[in-house]
């Protein structure tokens, strides 16, 4: 069964303090890995898709990287508006389109 | 605006009632999904429809019945609501005919069963 584990569960940073979030996965035949951002009371917002080990994607202060066993979401010089829950997910190897999500990392950036 | 929309945003009802949640997407996607997010914020897929055909049906009580009248709409009907059904339900959609799986989510429906 596909498994996705995110760490840490919660992360508190000072504004400008860079850090990384981790997403470890176990899936038969990786078809991609997705990162989402979820603000309180809202639906997950798509950020990145990574398809193969070594791939990197960037958006503003966020950079996502992928290895054969895990993905990292690097946050450079975060701002308070980056505070949110960050979710990673992998599509199932056997069930067409099924996403297995991690439990998320709650990021809080203090000014 | 192009998006995935859901109605209602909030739904408060009593145990035993039947209720429906509606979802529409205007992104031109061919696959739609229902997810449940529990109190611990864990997102879990319930159903998926591709071109009006049910393709994913997770272990969900048969009190939950999805219906897709067309590619752009996916509704969720829940019979005999129970306290444990209280959660946030998200609709999502994706374009899968090209092997692209990223899903776009609606704003969610917070269901509270009293």
């Amino acid at each position: 069964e596909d498994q996705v584990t995110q760490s840490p569960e919660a992360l508190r940073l000072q504004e400008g303090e860079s850090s990384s979030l981790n997403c470890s996965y176990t899936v038969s035949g990786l078809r991609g890995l997705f990162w989402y951002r979820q603000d309180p009371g809202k639906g997950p917002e798509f950020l990145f898709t990574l398809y193969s080990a070594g791939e990197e994607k960037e958006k503003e202060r966020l950079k996502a990287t992928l290895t054969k066993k895990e993905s990292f979401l690097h946050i450079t010089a975060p701002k308070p508006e980056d505070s949110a829950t960050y979710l990673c997910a992998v599509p199932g190897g056997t069930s067409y389109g099924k996403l297995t999500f991690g439990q998320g990392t709650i990021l809080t950036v203090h000014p | 605006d192009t998006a995935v929309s859901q109605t209602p945003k909030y739904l408060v009802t009593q145990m035993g009632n039947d209720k429906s949640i509606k979802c529409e997407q205007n992104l031109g996607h061919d696959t739609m999904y229902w997810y449940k997010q529990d109190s611990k914020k864990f997102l879990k897929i319930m159903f998926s429809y591709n071109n009006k055909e049910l393709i994913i049906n997770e272990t969900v009580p048969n009190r939950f019945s999805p219906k897709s009248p067309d590619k752009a709409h996916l509704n969720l009907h829940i019979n005999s609501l129970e306290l444990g059904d209280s959660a946030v339900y998200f609709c999502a959609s994706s374009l899968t005919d090209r092997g692209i799986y990223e899903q776009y989510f609606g704003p969610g429906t917070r269901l509270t069963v009293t």
Side-chain angles (χ1 to χ4, degrees), chain A residues 22-51:
Chain A
N22 177 264
C23 171
S24 298
Y25 61 88
T26 303
V27 64
S28 55
L30 183 69
R31 297 184 183 183
L33 184 141
F34 307 110
W35 282 98
Y36 287 84
R37 168 189 171 133
Q38 186 174 21
D39 292 301
K42 296 190 175 181
E45 175 190 347
F46 172 72
L47 292 173
F48 302 110
T49 305
L50 301 167
Y51 284 108

Side-chain angles (χ1 to χ4, degrees), chain B residues 14-99:
Chain B
Q14 292 183 329
M15 285 174 51
N17 285 348
D18 303 338
K19 290 293 179 184
S20 292
I21 306 172
K22 294 186 176 182
C23 177
E24 177 181 2
Q25 57 92 6
N26 60 5
L27 297 167
H29 289 168
D30 59 358
T31 306
M32 297 184 72
Y33 310 82
W34 279 112
Y35 285 85
K36 180 179 180 181
Q37 189 170 47
D38 59 25
S39 57
K40 294 185 177 180
K41 308 298 184 185
F42 191 65
L43 262 173
K44 190 168 183 181
I45 192 166
M46 300 172 67
F47 302 103
S48 172
Y49 271 78
N50 175 258
N51 288 318
K52 301 196 299 176
E53 180 182 351
L54 180 66
I55 55 171
I56 296 174
N57 186 351
E58 292 293 287
T59 307
V60 176
N62 57 15
R63 298 181 295 102
F64 290 79
S65 54
K67 285 190 180 176
S68 180
D70 55 58
K71 281 198 313 184
H73 296 84
L74 180 62
N75 303 322
L76 182 65
H77 188 75
I78 315 170
N79 290 325
S80 303
L81 278 155
E82 300 178 356
L83 292 176
D85 297 332
S86 296
V88 181
Y89 293 84
F90 288 101
C91 177
S93 70
S94 67
L95 186 64
T96 54
D97 63 350
R98 302 175 192 174

